[in-house]
Each structure stands twice: as structure tokens, then as C-alpha cells.
Amino acid sequence: MRWLELEGAVNARDLGGLPTVDGGRTAERRLLRSDNLQGLTATDIKLLVEEFDLNTVVDLRSTHEVRSEGPGPLTAVESVRHAHHSVLPERGRATDAAADALLTRRERLVARYPDDPMCAFYLGYLEDRPDGVIGALRSITRSRGAALVHCAAGKDRTGVVVALALSVAGVEREVVIEDYAASGTRIGAILARLRASPTYARDLERGPGDDEHRPRAETMAAFLEQVDLRYGGVHSWLSGHGFDGDETETLRAKLLAEA
């Protein structure tokens, strides 16, 4: 895992070099992840496009977020395709920083998985917006060069989609969990960026304290365990929603380094 020290994003990394269960490694410059891309500088864009061969941006933000934030600087780059796949129900002012996103569905969350509300929230992506999750993975699969997955903070929605993609690649589960939790080391900078945006500032003011936004390894471990118990595993959930065996093999091959 390689952190990308960008001027206009604080939670960006290249997911190359991760060990797989069969002794392999993920390839560099194939799958990137990040927080909001609205602040990218010309230097950042040059690095992503020229050094990392960025071809596809997979945007997991809600329609409200996309409209509120406006076009980001990468949208002006003709060689970069932008694929929007929200994994939240498209109603109201949904953001992944919103306290009311959890509160308005508290009863469903408790019933879904009472031990960890964030795990319950992640399971909701699979139950409420399987189309968005599958669409995001399909966009990664079809990217000719590197694909960059992002949302607002780059930790929850991005964390789930990336965990599914890495699982398809056969990355060791504890490593998938470690990558998810790594965003917690930059939570202060992540939240500072969000507070500087009118789109997210109000939600953060009304929401829980900063430490409650920090991703916990236990949450991703519980999420993947629940996917196993409820759906028979990541591959079974994917095939049940139309992401077939050929696509799974194509995604796996894309993400793995050659022996």
C-alpha cells in the first residue's frame, strides 16, 4: 500500500503490492482510492494521469453531493472517464458525513446488525443499492488504465467497494481490513477538508465527535463476516447480482501483478 501525497487530497493511496492468499501480489497503478477530488491541483492531476495512467474515476457520492460540489478539476481532462455510482438511497441531502443518514434509519440499522451501526450501514449499501455497488466494480473492471475510487471522506463507501474488489483479487482478509483501517490515521485531515466544504460542514457540526468517524478494523471484519454468513461470501453476492464469473476473472486479472 502506497500513500499518494497529493496537494489536494489527504486520504489517497495506490493499492498495489498487497499480498494474496495464493502468494501473489496486487499490481501497482491499477486501483487507487481517495477522498474528495475537488481540491486537486494541476500538479496532482499531472501525477495521476501521467505517472499512474489514471483512466477512470469511480465516484460513489450521492447525486446531491455531486451537484452541490460542482465539477471537479479532473472532469476537464478528456482522457479520464467519470463513472457515477451512488451507493446511498437517492433521497434528501444524503452524504456519508450526515448524522441523519443514520438516525432516520436507526430501527432498520439496529435490526440489520445491532452490534455495530457502521457495519449495519455498510450492509445497507448491498441491500439498498446493489446496482451502485455492482456498477462501481464493473467500472473498475472495464477501466483501460488505473481506476480511482472515491467518495467524500474515502473511508466508508470507498472502503466497502475497495474491500469487495480486493476480496475478488484474493487479497488476504486481514490485509483488506488493514487497508480499510488505514484511513483512520488521517481522520483529522479528512474531517478538516470536509468542514471546509458547505456540502459537508453542517452535517459534521450536527454529527458525532471526530473519533466516532474513525474507521475501526472490527467494523470491516464484521462486515466481511456478515457477507459470508448472509450471502455465502463476496463471490456469491456478486454473482447473485449479475456480476458473472467472466467479470470476476477479468477484475481479478486486472488487479493482480504478473508472476
Side-chain angles (χ1 to χ4, degrees), residues 85-104:
H85 302 289
S86 176
V87 297
L88 293 178
E90 291 285 346
R91 56 176 180 267
R93 297 176 57 254
T95 80
D96 67 355
D100 56 0
L102 287 175
L103 292 175
T104 57

Side-chain angles (χ1 to χ4, degrees), residues 9 19 23 31 43 68 85 98 102 116 127 132-133 143 196 230 250 258:
L31 181 60
T43 300
S68 177
H85 302 289
L102 287 175
D116 188 330
E127 295 177 13
V133 176
S143 177
R230 296 172 186 228
T250 301
E258 294 183 3

Side-chain angles (χ1 to χ4, degrees), residues 2 21 32 34 61 100 126 132 137 156 171 187 198 229:
R2 172 185 175 186
V21 295
L32 315 177
S34 181
R61 296 175 300 168
D100 56 0
L126 305 187
L137 292 170
D156 297 311
V171 172
I187 195 65
L229 293 172

Side-chain angles (χ1 to χ4, degrees), residues 72-205:
L74 268 174
T75 60
V77 181
E78 292 184 1
S79 63
V80 178
R81 182 176 72 92
H82 292 262
H84 179 218
H85 302 289
S86 176
V87 297
L88 293 178
E90 291 285 346
R91 56 176 180 267
R93 297 176 57 254
T95 80
D96 67 355
D100 56 0
L102 287 175
L103 292 175
T104 57
R105 296 195 293 163
R106 177 63 61 185
E107 291 184 2
R108 288 184 62 197
L109 284 167
V110 170
R112 183 180 286 144
Y113 190 71
D115 294 341
D116 188 330
M118 287 310 300
C119 174
F121 200 37
Y122 297 169
L123 290 168
Y125 302 160
L126 305 187
E127 295 177 13
D128 298 334
R129 291 304 305 271
D131 59 317
V133 176
I134 294 296
L137 292 170
R138 196 162 275 152
S139 288
I140 295 170
T141 304
R142 295 175 178 174
S143 177
R144 295 192 310 276
L148 188 157
V149 182
H150 84 98
C151 51
K155 62 185 182 68
D156 297 311
R157 292 171 285 186
T158 298
V160 168
V161 168
V162 164
L164 296 177
L166 294 180
S167 297
V168 168
V171 172
E172 297 174 1
R173 178 160 293 193
E174 58 268 32
V175 176
V176 175
I177 294 168
E178 288 172 5
D179 171 67
Y180 163 80
S183 294
T185 65
R186 302 200 170 189
I187 195 65
I190 293 168
L191 295 177
R193 286 197 71 220
L194 294 178
R195 288 191 176 100
S197 166
T199 303
Y200 306 105
R202 185 180 176 188
D203 287 334
L204 286 169
E205 287 173 4

Side-chain angles (χ1 to χ4, degrees), residues 1 61 68 92 162 202 215-216 221 228 239 248:
M1 179 179 64
R61 296 175 300 168
S68 177
V162 164
R202 185 180 176 188
R216 299 164 53 249
D228 289 342
S239 64
T248 298

Side-chain angles (χ1 to χ4, degrees), residues 1-80:
M1 179 179 64
R2 172 185 175 186
W3 287 97
L4 304 182
E5 301 300 341
L6 302 176
E7 296 174 350
V10 297
N11 191 23
R13 50 195 186 268
D14 179 357
L15 297 168
L18 302 181
T20 61
V21 295
D22 60 0
R25 295 270 173 178
T26 54
E28 296 181 351
R29 299 177 176 85
R30 302 283 177 83
L31 181 60
L32 315 177
R33 61 178 293 171
S34 181
D35 51 330
N36 202 345
L37 304 178
Q38 298 297 120
L40 293 184
T41 65
T43 300
D44 294 335
I45 293 173
K46 180 179 176 66
L47 175 72
L48 291 170
V49 174
E50 296 185 7
E51 181 173 337
F52 286 87
D53 190 28
L54 178 62
N55 170 256
T56 301
V57 170
V58 181
D59 187 348
L60 304 178
R61 296 175 300 168
S62 68
T63 300
H64 162 72
E65 289 170 271
V66 173
R67 290 175 177 169
S68 177
E69 292 283 273
L74 268 174
T75 60
V77 181
E78 292 184 1
S79 63
V80 178

